Amino acid sequence: MSEISPGLDLAKADQLIERHEKDATTVFGFWVYLMTDCVLFASLFATFAVLRNNTFGGPSGATLFSLPYALAETLALLTSSFTCGLALLAAQAKRKTQTLVWFMITFGLGLTFLVLELSEFHKFVAMGDSWRRSGFLSAYFTLVGTHGLHITIGLLWMVVMMLFIYKRGLNRLSLKRIRMLSMFWHFLDVVWIFIFTIVYLFGALHA
Amino acid sequence: MRIKKKWLVVSVMLAALVSAAGVYLSRVNIPLLEPKGPIADKEFRLLLIITGAMLVVVIPVFLLLAYVVWRYREDNPKHGQYVPDWDHSRWLEGLWWVIPTILILIVSIITWNASYALNPYRPILTNKKALVVQAVSLDWKWLFIYPAQHIASLNLVEFPLKTPVHFYLTSDAPMNSFWLPQLSGQIYTMAGMQTQLYLASDIIGNFTGRSANLSGVGFAGMQFSARSVSVASFASWVNQIRHHSPRLSLSVYRSLEKPSTYVPFKEYSNPAKGLFNDIIAKYMTPNRDHNIRLIEGIGL
Amino acid sequence: MSHSLISTFGGFLGRLSLKWLPHDPITASGAIMLAAVPIAVALFITYTKRWKWIYREWLTTQDPKRIGIMYIIIAILMGLRGLADVIMVRTQQAVSVGSNHGILSASHFQQVISAHGTIMIFFVAMGLMFGIINLIVPLQIGARDVAFPFLNATGFWLFFAGMALINISLLIGDFSATGWLAYPPLSELKYSPTVGVDYWIWSLEIAGIGSLLAGINFVVTILKKRVKGMKLMKMPLFCWSVLGSMSLVIFAFPILTVTLTLLALDRTLGMHFFTSGHGGNMMMYVNLIWAWGHPEVYILVLPAFGVYSEIAAVFSRKKLFGYVSMVWAIWAIVILSFIVWLHHFFTMGAGSNVNAFFGIMTMIIAVPTGVKLFNWLFTMYKGKLNMKTPLYWLIAFVVVFTIGGMAGVLMAVPPIDFQLHNSLFLVAHFHMMIVSGVLFGYFAGIAYWYPKFLGYRLNERLGRYAFWSWLVGFLLAFIPLYILGFMGATRRLDHYSASLGWQPLFIVAAIGVVFIILGVVLQILQLIVSIWQRNGELKVGHDPWDGRTLEWSLPTPIPAYNFARLPEVSTRDAYWNAKKVKYIDRRPYEDIEMPKNSPLGMVIAGGALIFGFAFVWHIWWLVIVGLLVSVFGLIYRSMDEHTEYTLPASDVKQMEQMRASGGGI
C-alpha cells in the first residue's frame, strides 16, 4: 500500500503504525489461542498414555495399526504444510492467482489426509474394533479424531479464505488471516507428528 | 457510653453462645477428638501438632490486625503516625517471606514422615497376627467378607480388640470412601481396583462408620457398625454365624448387588470361594473363565 | 447399545417428552418462578417500548463496561438461585433426622447440592469476576478498549448460554445428582441414565469455552494494550492479579473442555474413558478435573486479591505496601496452583511419597498467601483508615480467610486429610476460602467502584448492616460445620440417624443462613434506597474515594471511548501522582477507532445453546442446526471488513466540551 514519505500527513503515518500494532496484537492473540489448543492436545495425549494398555481383551496398537498407511497420511499432511507455506509466500508477494492455486493444492492434500483417516476409522469399526471396544480404542479414536476435527475446521477455514481472497483480493485483512491460517495448519502438522510417533510408531513397535 | 453498652451486649451474647456450645459439645460423641485406636490416635495428635504450628503465625496476624484497625482508624483521636508514602521495607518483607517458609519447612518434614508412618497400607506393628477382612461397597451397603473364618456380614463388621484388622477394599458400585473415624481415616473403594487399610481398636466398644463419597440416592444410608469385642466373644460370634446363618452363595450375592437402601445387619456363612477377587476381576478382564459366572450375573 | 442409538436417531424429539416436565410441588414452583423472571423482564421491556434500546445499547454492545454490567447482573440473579438451593439444603439437613426424611427426596437433594455448587462457582463467582475485570481492567491500563471486543462479547454470550442451559434443566428434565464435579462412574450412563449429567456437561462446556475466550482476550489486553509509559511493574496490582488469573484460565480451561468432552463421549457414544470395566479409568477423570479444578480456585481468588489490594491502599490513604512482593506472590501462586491437584484425593491410596509431595506443595502456597496478608496489614499500618464498607469486607476477609487457610494447611497433611476428606470440615474450609476470598472481595469491589460508573455512592449505613448480617450469618453457618466434620458427618447427606447428635449443629447452621438471607435482603434494600437517594447526599463527583489509579481520572459517566486523550503514565498510582501536580492537558484530540456493535456474538452463542440443548436430549437434527447457526455466524462475521468506525477528533472535542459545560451526552 502507501509508503511513508516526507511530507505525508503525519496523522496518516500514525494511523498506519497503529493498524500495524493492531494486526500484531491479533496475531499474538492467535498464538495464545494455539497455546490453549496445545494444552487441549496435551490432555488428550495424557489420557491416551494412561489408557494405551487398557485393551480389555480387544486389539492393541500393534495388531491394529499399519505403519505404511500412517506414513502415507503423514506425507499428505507434511506436503500440505509445505504448500500452505508457499501460499503464504505467494500472498506476501501479492500474487493472487498463485496464492489461490497453492491453497487449492493444500486443500486437496488436507482432504486426502482426512479421507485416509476416515477410511482407517471405517476399517476398524467394520472389524468390530470401534471406540466402544475398549478404553484404549476410545482414547485412540478421540485423540486422532480431535486432530481430524481440527483438520476439518482448517479445511472449512481454507474454503472461506479462498472465497475471501477471490472476492476481496489480497488486502491487509486477508494477509493477516492467511498468516494465522498457516500458523494453524503448521500447528496441526506438529500435532500430527506427535500422534504419528506416540500413537502409531510406539503402538506398532510396542507389542 | 452507648458504644460500650453495645459491646457489652455483644460480649454477653457471645459468652452465652460459647457456653451453650460448650455444654452441648461435652455431651456428644466427637469421634475425631476421641480416638479409640492407635491409627486414629496418631492422626489426632498430628492434627494437634499442625494446629499448634499454624497458630504461631495466625495469632500474631489477628493481634496485628486488631491493633492496626484500632490504632489507625481515621476517627481515632489517638491516631498513630500517618506515613502515606511508606510502601516497602526489605527487612519486614523478608521477615514474612522467611518465617512462614521456615515454619512450612518444619511442617513439611513432619508431613513427610507422617505420610510414611500413617500410610494406610502399612501394617500395625504388633506380635499379633492381623485379621483379614475384605470389604465391598455395594449399592448401598457394605459387605464384609472374612476369608479365613469363612463368614460374611452386611453393614456390620466385628473384630477382637487390640488386634490389627487388615482390610482389603473394593467396590461393586460407584466409588465410595470407607470411613471409621474413631479408629482410622478414609480410603476409597473403587470398582476393578483394590485398596488396603489397617486399623485396630484399643477398647471394647461400638463405633459408627460410613461412606464418605457420594454414590447415589442411597448414599446417606451407607452407614455401618463396627464392634470391637473380646477375643472370646469374637470366636463365638464366628461360630454362631458358621452354624446358623444362611450361605452367601453367588445367587445371594447377585441379589445383594441390586440397589437397596437402609439395609439392616445380616450375617452369612460360607461365602463363595474367591468372591472378592472375582468382584474385582470382572471389571478387569472380559474373558477369564473363573469370573464368567459373575459377568453373566450382572449382564455387564 | 447400538439399538438405543438407532432408536434415538429415529425420534424427532430424541429423549424429550412431556413426562420430563416438573411434577413435585417444590420443583414446579421453582420452575415457575424461574420462567417468570425472563417473561416479566420481556413484558416490562415491551411495555416501556425499550426493545430497540436494549438491542442497540446492550445486546449488541462491544463495550466492556456494558458487558461487565451484564455479567454482574446475571451473577446476582444466579446468586439468588444458588441461595434458594442453600435454603433447601439447610432446611433438609436440619429436619431430616431419624424417622423424618425431610422435605426433599434423596435424588432431589443431590440435584440441589450439585446445582448449588455448579451455579455458585461457574455463574456467580466467575460472573462477578469477569464482570469486574471487564469494567476495570481497560480503565486501569489506560486503554480505550480491550484487545478483542468481539471475542469478549462472544465470551459473555457463551457464558449466558451456559447459564440458560443450566436453568432450562429446572424447567424440563432433571439436573445432575452427582455433586458439583460429577465423579464417574456415578456420573456414567450406567448409574445416571437421565439427562441430568448431560445438562451439567453441556452447560459447563459452553460457559467454559466462553471463559477461555475471555481469558485469551484479557491476557492479550493487559500485555498489549497498556498506555504508553505503563511498564508492567507500574500496573495497578489489580491488573497483575487479573493477568495471573487469566494466565491460569488459558492453561486450565482447555483441560476442563477435554474432561467434559470425554465424559460426554462415554455417555453418548459408549466410549470407555471413565467407566468401571472395559478398560476405563475413573481416577483419570478425578485427576483431570482437579488439574483444572485446583487452578480454578486461584482463578477466582486472584482477582479478588487484586480488589483487596486496591481497597487496602485507597482506604488507608497510603501506598500499597510491598508491591514487588505482591507481584512475586501472585506468580508463585499461579505456578504452584498447577502442582497441587492431587491433594483433593489423598485417600485414593497413592504411595506415601506421592501424597507427601503434593501435601508439601500445597502448604507452600500458604507462604505467598501469607505474604499478601502481611502486606495488606502493613498497607493499613501507618495509614489513615477510612472506615467504609469496602474496608469492612477486607478486614472480615483477613479474619475468615486466615481461619479457613489454617484448616486448609491441616488438610494438606495427608494423614489428617484421611480423617477430614469429604467431611463437613472440608465443606466449611472451602466455603470460608471462597466466600471470604471471592464473594466478599467482589462485594467490596462493587461498593468501591459503584460510584465510578453510576455517579452516586451506595448507602453506607445499610451496607454496614448488610455486612454484619452476612458476617454473623456466615460464621453461624460454617463454624458448626467444622465441628460436624469432627463428629464424623460427611458432605452431601440427605438424612442421618438421631443418635449421632448432629441435629443441634445443623439447626444452628440453618439459623446462620437466616442471617445471610437478611444480609442479602439488606443488600437489595441498599441498592433500592441508593437509587432513590441518588440525587441527594449520595451524589458524588468522579473521584469520591481520593483514588490512586487511572479509572478515577475519568469523568462519570465514563464516555464509550474511556479516554478522550490517552493519559501519560510514568509511575505507579498514576492518578494519585497526577493529582499532586496541577497539570492541564492541552494536547489536541485525535480520531478514535471504535468497534461497531454486532449481534453476531449473540448469534454464535445462541447456536451453542441450541447445540447443547439438543445434545442433552439427543435431538440430532437440532444439534446440526445449532452447529450451523454458530458456524455461519462466525463466517458471516469474518466476511465483514468494516467492524470499526472512526470517531473524528472534532466529535470527541465537541463531546468533551459539552461534558465540561455540564451538558449530558
Side-chain angles (χ1 to χ4, degrees), chain C residues 126-141:
Chain C
M126 292 291 272
L128 288 173
M129 177 188 81
F130 276 124
I132 290 182
I133 290 174
N134 266 286
L135 286 172
I136 304 303
V137 165
L139 306 183
Q140 282 199 337
I141 60 173

Side-chain angles (χ1 to χ4, degrees), chain B residues 209-220:
Chain B
R210 64 175 57 252
S211 167
N213 195 70
L214 182 65
S215 53
V217 291
F219 163 65

Side-chain angles (χ1 to χ4, degrees), chain B:
Chain B
M1 204 57 218
R2 240 181 75 226
I3 288 193
K4 279 193 180 149
K5 210 177 203 169
K6 189 167 83 185
W7 285 112
L8 192 72
V9 173
V10 170
S11 350
V12 168
M13 273 167 60
L14 257 178
L17 202 66
V18 168
S19 39
V23 170
Y24 162 74
L25 292 176
S26 65
R27 287 172 181 208
V28 289
N29 171 255
I30 307 179
L32 256 62
L33 309 184
E34 301 160 27
K36 297 292 184 238
I39 303 289
D41 189 54
K42 281 183 194 143
E43 285 164 347
F44 174 58
R45 276 161 207 269
L46 197 57
L47 179 95
L48 291 183
I49 292 167
I50 307 288
T51 309
M54 288 299 102
L55 288 177
V56 173
V57 172
V58 169
I59 290 176
V61 167
F62 283 171
L63 293 178
L64 191 65
L65 178 70
Y67 171 74
V68 167
V69 172
W70 166 77
R71 184 75 203 274
Y72 294 98
R73 278 180 75 115
E74 204 169 24
D75 53 5
N76 182 354
K78 286 183 272 177
H79 187 286
Q81 192 194 5
Y82 173 52
V83 193
D85 287 333
W86 185 55
D87 69 346
H88 72 284
S89 151
R90 272 185 199 191
W91 193 80
L92 280 173
E93 286 171 69
L95 198 69
W96 51 74
W97 276 105
V98 170
I99 290 187
T101 305
I102 293 172
L103 192 73
I104 291 297
L105 201 70
I106 296 168
V107 175
S108 297
I109 294 167
I110 300 174
T111 301
W112 187 270
N113 292 331
S115 290
Y116 279 88
L118 287 167
N119 185 331
Y121 286 43
R122 191 185 158 104
I124 297 174
L125 288 177
T126 158
N127 48 14
K128 279 191 190 155
K129 206 170 156 257
L131 169 73
V132 172
V133 178
Q134 297 161 332
V136 186
S137 55
L138 296 163
D139 269 344
W140 286 275
K141 56 247 164 195
W142 291 95
L143 177 67
F144 298 98
I145 303 167
Y146 294 71
Q149 285 73 22
H150 302 291
I151 61 162
S153 54
L154 201 66
N155 281 343
L156 168 73
V157 58
E158 188 168 308
F159 40 80
L161 83 161
K162 291 189 174 150
T163 308
V165 188
H166 184 185
F167 282 95
Y168 291 90
L169 308 101
T170 191
S171 180
D172 200 356
M175 184 166 91
N176 281 281
S177 189
F178 175 91
W179 192 22
L180 192 45
Q182 219 152 5
L183 301 182
S184 97
Q186 297 166 42
I187 192 92
Y188 283 161
T189 66
M190 297 163 280
M193 287 176 251
Q194 174 193 278
T195 47
Q196 297 177 43
L197 176 81
Y198 279 88
L199 58 76
S201 170
D202 290 335
I203 60 155
I204 290 179
N206 278 343
F207 311 103
T208 306
R210 64 175 57 252
S211 167
N213 195 70
L214 182 65
S215 53
V217 291
F219 163 65
M222 281 197 75
Q223 191 173 310
F224 62 91
S225 276
R227 289 192 207 139
S228 163
V229 297
S230 69
V231 177
S233 71
F234 177 70
S236 75
W237 180 70
V238 170
N239 245 327
Q240 177 78 14
I241 294 176
R242 267 197 189 161
H243 292 110
H244 299 289
S245 297
R247 205 177 153 250
L248 181 59
S249 63
L250 276 177
S251 62
V252 171
Y253 180 74
R254 274 174 210 148
S255 69
L256 280 182
E257 267 186 330
K258 295 203 178 86
S260 54
T261 53
Y262 297 97
V263 183
F265 304 151
K266 248 177 232 154
E267 285 146 356
Y268 302 97
S269 63
N270 221 347
K273 242 203 174 76
L275 180 61
F276 183 78
N277 289 334
D278 282 358
I279 292 168
I280 295 174
K282 79 174 181 191
Y283 290 104
M284 299 296 288
T285 45
N287 298 324
R288 273 168 49 188
D289 288 333
H290 73 272
N291 58 47
I292 275 182
R293 46 194 185 156
L294 273 181
I295 293 163
E296 284 170 351
I298 60 156
L300 189 85

Side-chain angles (χ1 to χ4, degrees), chain C residues 383-396:
Chain C
K384 219 189 251 182
L385 302 186
N386 179 14
M387 295 301 288
K388 295 284 166 19
T389 347
L391 199 56
Y392 276 80
W393 289 117
L394 169 62
I395 294 164

Side-chain angles (χ1 to χ4, degrees), chain C residues 266-287:
Chain C
D266 272 8
R267 291 178 56 86
T268 321
L269 293 181
M271 291 203 185
H272 297 288
F273 282 102
F274 313 123
T275 52
S276 36
H278 284 92
N281 186 334
M282 65 186 90
M283 291 321 285
M284 186 168 73
Y285 178 93
V286 179
N287 273 286

